[in-house]
Amino acid sequence: MPETEDRRSQITDSLADFILAEGLNAASLRPLAKAAGLSDRMLLYHFKDKSEVIAAALTRIAERVTVILEHSAPPTALDADALRAFLWPRLSQDQMWPYMQIWLETASLAARGDVVCRTVGEAIGRGFVEWVKSHLASNQPDIDAAKVLTSIEGMVLLKSLG
């Protein structure tokens, strides 16, 4: 990996860490740059604009979730109810909760018309649906994957509301 790509990857990791800890509402350029050990001008040297910064960080967060899910994937394909029952205890653990909070925040901002959150959120959602489908034993994988996703999202929402 060329040095500039490696540096951008390191910066993206720092941005993802910041957003996981502080949330998207705290993600203005100066705090993001500070979290990456840069000035806001240097951050914009590596990224076109704030939208690209947020998109890169959210994409990195989604990549991390995918790795975590793959490491704890069920050994065999499961039906929708069994897969949901398998996933929920893993996704609701304390170490996964910041990822779930960012997912809710992304969905909320997308619903309010945030183009970056809508675009990245759609890609993340589609990725999760594909991951679920790859672990489903189902004659109707699209429908069952959607059911798993919506029920998990509902449980995340309910947990966040207390």
Side-chain angles (χ1 to χ4, degrees):
M1 181 182 300
E3 185 177 324
T4 55
E5 287 180 38
D6 187 45
R7 180 67 180 130
R8 183 178 160 123
S9 182
Q10 292 169 349
I11 293 167
T12 303
D13 278 330
S14 296
L15 298 170
D17 292 342
F18 176 84
I19 288 174
L20 283 167
E22 303 297 328
L24 286 168
N25 285 333
S28 60
L29 278 179
R30 283 198 174 100
L32 286 166
K34 184 177 179 183
L38 301 169
S39 68
D40 49 336
R41 286 186 176 196
M42 280 306 295
L43 183 61
L44 293 176
Y45 169 81
H46 292 282
F47 300 91
K48 181 177 80 174
D49 55 21
K50 182 182 175 187
S51 294
E52 189 175 290
V53 170
I54 298 299
L58 290 174
T59 300
R60 181 60 49 88
I61 290 167
E63 290 167 356
R64 290 179 183 178
V65 170
T66 300
V67 168
I68 292 166
L69 286 173
E70 276 306 313
H71 284 11
S72 66
T76 60
L78 302 171
D79 67 36
D81 290 335
L83 186 57
R84 181 179 45 251
F86 179 87
L87 284 173
W88 178 242
R90 288 153 181 81
L91 294 174
S92 62
Q93 292 175 0
D94 288 345
Q95 67 267 28
M96 287 300 292
W97 194 241
Y99 294 96
M100 300 300 99
Q101 290 173 311
I102 293 302
W103 174 246
L104 284 179
E105 199 171 354
T106 301
S108 174
L109 290 169
R112 292 211 167 262
D114 185 295
V115 175
V116 173
C117 288
R118 180 172 294 247
T119 302
V120 176
E122 180 182 355
I124 292 168
R126 288 183 188 282
F128 187 67
V129 166
E130 290 304 314
W131 187 91
V132 168
K133 284 170 44 177
S134 73
H135 293 87
L136 269 175
S138 171
N139 293 329
Q140 47 187 6
D142 291 328
I143 293 170
D144 285 341
K147 287 179 182 178
V148 170
L149 179 61
T150 56
S151 63
I152 292 288
E153 286 175 333
M155 290 186 279
V156 168
L157 179 60
L158 291 174
K159 181 179 176 179
S160 72
L161 295 172

